[in-house]
Amino acid sequence: MPEGPEVHDLADRLGALLLDETLDDVWFRDPALQRRRKVLAGKRVAGVVARGKALLIAVDGGWTLYTHSHLFGFWRLVDDVDALTSDTPPRVRLRCVRGVAALYAAPSVALWRTDDLDRQPYLAKLGPDVLDPAVDVAVFDAALRAPALAGRGLAALLLDQGFAAGMGNYLRSEVLFEAKLSPYRTAGDLDTAQRRRLAKALIDVPRRAYRAKQGDAHPPGKDYLAQIKRRFRFEVFEREGTPCPRCDGTIVNARIAARRLYWCPGCQH
Ligand SMILES: [Zn+2]
């Protein structure tokens, strides 16, 4: 499943195609949505943003297209409708003068009043987004001190979108490695320095992964990325059996909170 950096990068690419352009053709496979296509058709695209792993396309007139790709959904961006070659039709197709964006296989597609988005069930449950420039280390440092989280294991907590929106499975392994913390620790048993390291890794690692997807130019409104190192690679994720890049240990793969987690027992305590 795409994680925050991938969805934000997709939002940037969709924005480069659609932003400020008029949607001159809108098509939904779902008949009920197709009957309502005029809330988007003929409207100027006012915003394309990611929130957590959801993608929101807002138009003038107060409506937003909500999509969540879950495991299998994906967007294709092409110059012309004829370039969409697929056995199955897309779920959504948006056309403007610059090209066509089509969403395939995503189970969640809906039209929402932009003013009502905070009531959308997925968005309503999201915690602070690891890629939101307004979210900083202090936000997660405070969140980790919340008594309600004290008993939560870090492995499960780091997948909880209500704790940190945009986190996902590869980020979970890499954040814990960066913070030098065992996935079996709980939020409540971290000392001040450990909690601070984890909060900092929750900010730094996803932003490096996002930054690494971009060229020298930043997308509009993402100037904060200029401060972030562009280099990102998996230090532990999918590196089971290889030497730890930090100590003499060996990376192991454990199944924790129902997903595979890679970590180094030698230096993550
Ligand atoms: Zn190690």
Coordinates of all heavy atoms in Angstrom, one line a residue, residues 37 50 53 72-73 80 96 122-123 132 179 184 191-192 196 226 237 243 247 251-252 258 263:
R37 N -22.0 14.0 -11.6 CA -20.7 14.5 -12.1 C -20.6 16.0 -12.3 O -19.5 16.5 -12.3 CB -20.3 13.7 -13.4 CG -21.3 14.1 -14.6 CD -21.0 13.2 -15.8 NE -21.8 13.5 -16.9 CZ -23.1 13.1 -17.0 NH1 -23.6 12.3 -16.1 NH2 -23.8 13.4 -18.1
A50 N -3.0 15.6 -0.3 CA -3.1 14.4 0.4 C -3.3 14.6 1.8 O -2.8 15.6 2.4 CB -1.8 13.6 0.2
K53 N -3.5 9.0 3.8 CA -3.4 8.3 2.5 C -4.5 8.5 1.6 O -4.7 7.9 0.6 CB -3.2 6.8 2.8 CG -1.9 6.5 3.6 CD -1.9 5.0 4.0 CE -0.8 4.8 5.1 NZ -0.9 3.5 5.7
F72 N -5.0 -1.6 -3.6 CA -4.8 -1.9 -5.1 C -5.1 -0.7 -6.0 O -4.9 -0.7 -7.2 CB -5.7 -3.0 -5.5 CG -5.4 -4.3 -4.7 CD1 -6.3 -4.9 -3.9 CD2 -4.2 -4.9 -4.9 CE1 -6.0 -6.0 -3.2 CE2 -3.9 -6.1 -4.2 CZ -4.8 -6.6 -3.3
G73 N -5.6 0.4 -5.4 CA -6.0 1.5 -6.3 C -4.7 2.2 -6.9 O -3.7 2.3 -6.2
D80 N -4.0 11.9 -23.2 CA -5.3 11.8 -23.9 C -6.0 10.6 -23.5 O -5.4 9.6 -23.1 CB -5.0 11.8 -25.4 CG -6.2 12.0 -26.3 OD1 -7.0 11.0 -26.5 OD2 -6.4 13.2 -26.6
C96 N -8.8 17.5 -18.4 CA -8.6 19.0 -18.5 C -7.8 19.2 -19.8 O -7.4 18.3 -20.5 CB -8.0 19.7 -17.3 SG -6.3 19.3 -17.1
Y122 N -13.1 8.5 7.3 CA -11.6 8.3 7.4 C -10.9 9.6 7.8 O -10.0 9.5 8.7 CB -11.1 7.9 6.0 CG -9.6 7.8 5.9 CD1 -8.9 6.7 6.4 CD2 -8.9 8.8 5.3 CE1 -7.5 6.6 6.3 CE2 -7.5 8.8 5.3 CZ -6.8 7.7 5.7 OH -5.5 7.6 5.6
L123 N -11.2 10.7 7.3 CA -10.5 12.0 7.6 C -10.8 12.4 9.0 O -9.9 12.9 9.7 CB -11.0 13.1 6.7 CG -10.7 12.9 5.2 CD1 -11.3 14.0 4.3 CD2 -9.2 12.7 4.9
D132 N 2.7 17.0 7.2 CA 2.1 18.4 7.3 C 3.2 19.3 7.8 O 3.6 19.1 8.9 CB 0.9 18.3 8.2 CG 0.2 19.7 8.4 OD1 0.8 20.7 8.0 OD2 -0.9 19.7 8.9
A179 N 15.1 5.7 15.4 CA 14.9 6.1 16.8 C 15.6 5.1 17.8 O 15.6 5.3 19.0 CB 13.4 6.2 17.2
Y184 N 9.0 -3.7 20.4 CA 8.2 -4.3 21.5 C 8.1 -3.3 22.7 O 7.4 -3.6 23.7 CB 8.9 -5.6 22.0 CG 8.9 -6.7 20.9 CD1 10.0 -7.0 20.2 CD2 7.7 -7.4 20.6 CE1 10.0 -7.9 19.2 CE2 7.6 -8.3 19.6 CZ 8.8 -8.6 18.9 OH 8.8 -9.5 17.9
D191 N 11.8 6.8 28.1 CA 12.2 7.9 28.9 C 12.2 9.2 28.0 O 11.9 9.1 26.8 CB 13.6 7.7 29.5 CG 14.7 7.5 28.4 OD1 14.6 8.1 27.3 OD2 15.7 6.8 28.7
T192 N 12.5 10.3 28.5 CA 12.4 11.6 27.8 C 13.2 11.6 26.5 O 12.7 12.0 25.5 CB 12.9 12.7 28.7 OG1 12.1 12.7 29.9 CG2 12.7 14.1 28.0
R196 N 11.7 11.6 22.7 CA 12.1 12.7 21.8 C 12.7 12.1 20.5 O 12.4 12.6 19.4 CB 13.2 13.6 22.5 CG 13.6 14.8 21.8 CD 12.8 16.0 22.1 NE 13.2 17.1 21.3 CZ 12.4 18.2 21.1 NH1 11.3 18.3 21.6 NH2 12.9 19.2 20.3
A226 N 13.0 22.1 1.3 CA 14.4 22.5 1.0 C 15.3 22.2 2.2 O 16.6 22.1 2.0 CB 14.4 24.0 0.7
F237 N 14.2 -2.1 6.2 CA 13.0 -2.7 5.6 C 13.4 -3.6 4.4 O 14.2 -3.2 3.5 CB 12.1 -1.6 5.1 CG 10.7 -2.1 4.6 CD1 9.8 -2.6 5.5 CD2 10.4 -2.2 3.3 CE1 8.6 -3.1 5.1 CE2 9.2 -2.7 2.9 CZ 8.3 -3.1 3.8
P243 N 23.7 -7.4 7.3 CA 24.3 -6.7 8.5 C 23.6 -5.4 8.7 O 23.2 -4.7 7.8 CB 25.7 -6.5 8.0 CG 26.0 -7.4 6.9 CD 24.7 -7.6 6.2
C247 N 25.4 -1.3 13.6 CA 26.1 -2.1 14.6 C 26.5 -3.4 14.0 O 26.4 -3.7 12.8 CB 25.2 -2.2 15.8 SG 23.9 -3.5 15.7
I251 N 19.8 -7.8 10.6 CA 18.4 -7.4 10.5 C 17.5 -8.6 10.6 O 17.8 -9.6 9.9 CB 18.2 -6.6 9.2 CG1 19.2 -5.5 9.0 CG2 16.7 -6.1 9.1 CD1 19.2 -4.5 10.0
V252 N 16.5 -8.6 11.4 CA 15.5 -9.7 11.4 C 14.1 -9.2 11.0 O 13.9 -8.0 10.9 CB 15.4 -10.3 12.9 CG1 16.7 -10.8 13.3 CG2 14.8 -9.2 13.8
A258 N 0.3 -7.8 12.9 CA -0.2 -8.4 11.7 C 0.6 -8.0 10.4 O 0.1 -8.3 9.3 CB -1.7 -8.1 11.5
W263 N 13.9 -5.1 11.8 CA 14.6 -4.3 12.9 C 15.8 -5.0 13.3 O 16.1 -6.2 12.9 CB 13.6 -4.1 14.0 CG 13.3 -5.3 14.9 CD1 12.5 -6.4 14.5 CD2 13.7 -5.5 16.3 NE1 12.4 -7.2 15.6 CE2 13.1 -6.7 16.6 CE3 14.4 -4.8 17.2 CZ2 13.3 -7.2 17.9 CZ3 14.6 -5.3 18.5 CH2 14.0 -6.5 18.8

